[in-house]
Amino acid sequence: MDLIRNVYCVGRNYRAHAEELGNAVPTSLMLFSKPTHAVVDSTASPIVLPANAGEVHYEVEVVLAAARTYEQGMTVEELVDEMSVGIDFTLRDVQTELKKKGHPWLAAKGFRNSALLTKFRKFPGTAACKQVDFSLRKNGQEVQRGNISDLIFDLQTIIEYTAAHFGLDAGDIIFTGTPQGVGPVFDGDTLSLYWGHELAGESVIRLI
Ligand code: ZN
């Protein structure tokens, strides 16, 4: 992964997660984006996140990286060459206020360091990904575990929709949604992201 261009994120793409936040399970795909300034590598420890803006929640997600320009009829395997396990950090209290007002989510989702990425790895294809759970441990304790088999909108649907509405090209990445178990991080927490049994990346959180 060289230069990251667009950062897309899918909201509410796992049934149990939509329900845990009291949201209806969606019938159409919901996309939002983050500025590229939000991107941070998990090795850039500590990861500085906003204090005094209410709860900062972790959302562990599978992230796809497009290797080329999407063309009509392309499969995920043809478009995507790499993937990462990442975190879509969210200012949950800010988001709740924005939702009430009907305002965009930028302030809740687009702040600096809100798109954490572990080292990109080769994308093995959708079928192979379904054989591997991704998970997040906070201070050594598992808090989230997911598998893309449980996606409401699958990877193929995500790339087709994103390309059709917004464009998809080399350097674009897509956070594909978080499973249930989201919760707050606190100053000094260690977050460890796993792809199967393999530690994909680990970061210490600093709230400033
Ligand atoms: Zn998310």
Side-chain angles (χ1 to χ4, degrees):
M1 190 83 226
D2 299 323
L3 186 67
I4 291 177
R5 296 182 68 194
N6 295 292
V7 181
Y8 296 112
C9 307
V10 183
R12 301 171 194 164
N13 205 14
Y14 289 84
R15 185 172 301 273
H17 168 63
E19 288 169 352
E20 76 181 341
L21 294 183
N23 293 310
V25 175
T27 51
S28 63
L29 207 146
M30 190 182 71
L31 269 192
F32 60 92
S33 68
K34 293 179 186 252
T36 49
H37 300 295
V39 172
V40 64
D41 193 289
S42 62
T43 57
S45 202
I47 305 291
V48 176
L49 297 172
N52 309 316
E55 287 190 348
V56 186
H57 276 199
Y58 48 77
E59 296 189 354
V60 70
E61 313 198 0
V62 168
V63 183
L64 303 180
R68 53 187 60 84
T69 309
Y70 175 86
E71 287 165 30
Q72 189 85 35
M74 240 183 208
T75 64
V76 178
E77 287 74 15
E78 288 167 326
L79 179 79
V80 172
D81 65 338
E82 291 183 311
M83 59 166 285
S84 165
V85 184
I87 298 182
D88 162 22
F89 284 113
T90 304
L91 289 169
R92 191 68 70 200
D93 297 328
V94 172
Q95 186 191 32
T96 302
E97 281 306 305
L98 294 173
K99 280 187 200 165
K100 276 188 210 153
K101 293 179 185 161
H103 286 180
W105 287 7
L106 182 63
K109 290 283 199 177
F111 54 93
R112 278 186 186 274
N113 301 337
S114 64
L116 179 139
L117 296 169
T118 59
K119 194 173 186 306
F120 278 91
R121 63 188 58 229
K122 190 180 176 322
F123 176 66
T126 302
C129 277
K130 288 181 175 175
Q131 304 300 313
V132 182
D133 283 356
F134 60 99
S135 61
L136 175 68
R137 294 182 196 172
K138 188 172 95 159
N139 304 324
Q141 198 131 35
E142 185 173 294
V143 286
Q144 283 191 283
R145 171 173 290 268
N147 188 296
I148 63 155
S149 310
D150 297 322
L151 286 172
I152 298 171
F153 301 100
D154 65 15
L155 301 184
Q156 187 65 37
T157 305
I158 293 171
I159 65 158
E160 287 174 9
Y161 181 95
T162 307
H165 292 268
F166 307 105
L168 206 42
D169 209 334
D172 293 347
I173 63 171
I174 309 176
F175 283 74
T176 55
T178 195
Q180 68 189 110
V182 300
V185 288
F186 298 99
D187 191 55
D189 279 350
T190 298
L191 297 181
S192 315
L193 296 89
Y194 285 82
W195 179 244
H197 296 293
E198 185 194 329
L199 180 64
E202 191 165 76
S203 305
V204 174
I205 302 302
R206 183 106 294 156
L207 296 186
I208 295 177

